[in-house]
Amino acid sequence: MRDPREVIVKPLITEKSARAMEGNVYTFVVDKGANKIEIGQAVEKLWDVKVESVRTMVYAGKARRALMGRVSRTRQVGRRPAWKKALVTLVEGDHIEFYEVG
């Protein structure tokens, strides 16, 4: 098994994911090559909780255009990187504290 810190890139905190945290669903940006089993084991190991289910989504990178200066007038076309998101549901009674009060 890989190191859990390689699987979980960072927690994704948005308004929608903050509302989902009340229902024991936590959102993470994960490695693109990680599967659901690795993600669940990584969350259990990092935060000492029990995972009920894992849902994953892969987002394709968006196309991006940039004008490279006013002199050259050539358009450089590029892409933002693709990324993977995981929604992890914990068993009733477990929770993860992202914001420690202290």
Side-chain angles (χ1 to χ4, degrees):
M1 183 182 149
R2 294 192 289 180
D3 182 39
R5 289 179 179 82
E6 292 177 6
V7 176
I8 306 293
V9 177
K10 64 181 178 180
L12 188 63
I13 308 293
T14 61
E15 289 181 21
K16 187 174 182 179
S17 67
R19 282 193 305 271
M21 282 184 208
E22 296 170 1
N24 273 354
V25 178
Y26 294 87
T27 309
F28 298 98
V29 176
V30 296
D31 181 51
K32 286 187 285 187
N35 59 26
K36 293 181 180 185
I37 296 168
E38 288 177 336
I39 294 167
Q41 290 174 350
V43 170
E44 286 179 349
K45 194 170 192 179
L46 286 174
W47 285 283
D48 194 30
V49 293
K50 183 74 175 149
V51 173
E52 185 175 315
S53 68
V54 177
R55 294 178 289 169
T56 59
M57 291 152 258
V58 178
Y59 291 91
K62 294 181 179 180
R64 176 176 58 171
R65 289 185 300 179
L67 215 66
M68 297 301 293
R70 294 180 181 265
V71 176
S72 94
R73 298 283 184 209
T74 59
R75 291 185 182 224
Q76 298 291 327
V77 178
R79 294 193 72 79
R80 294 184 182 148
W83 57 288
K84 188 172 189 176
K85 178 169 84 172
L87 298 172
V88 178
T89 305
L90 303 180
V91 296
E92 192 66 35
D94 281 348
H95 70 282
I96 298 173
E97 285 293 330
F98 288 127
Y99 302 110
E100 294 288 330
V101 179

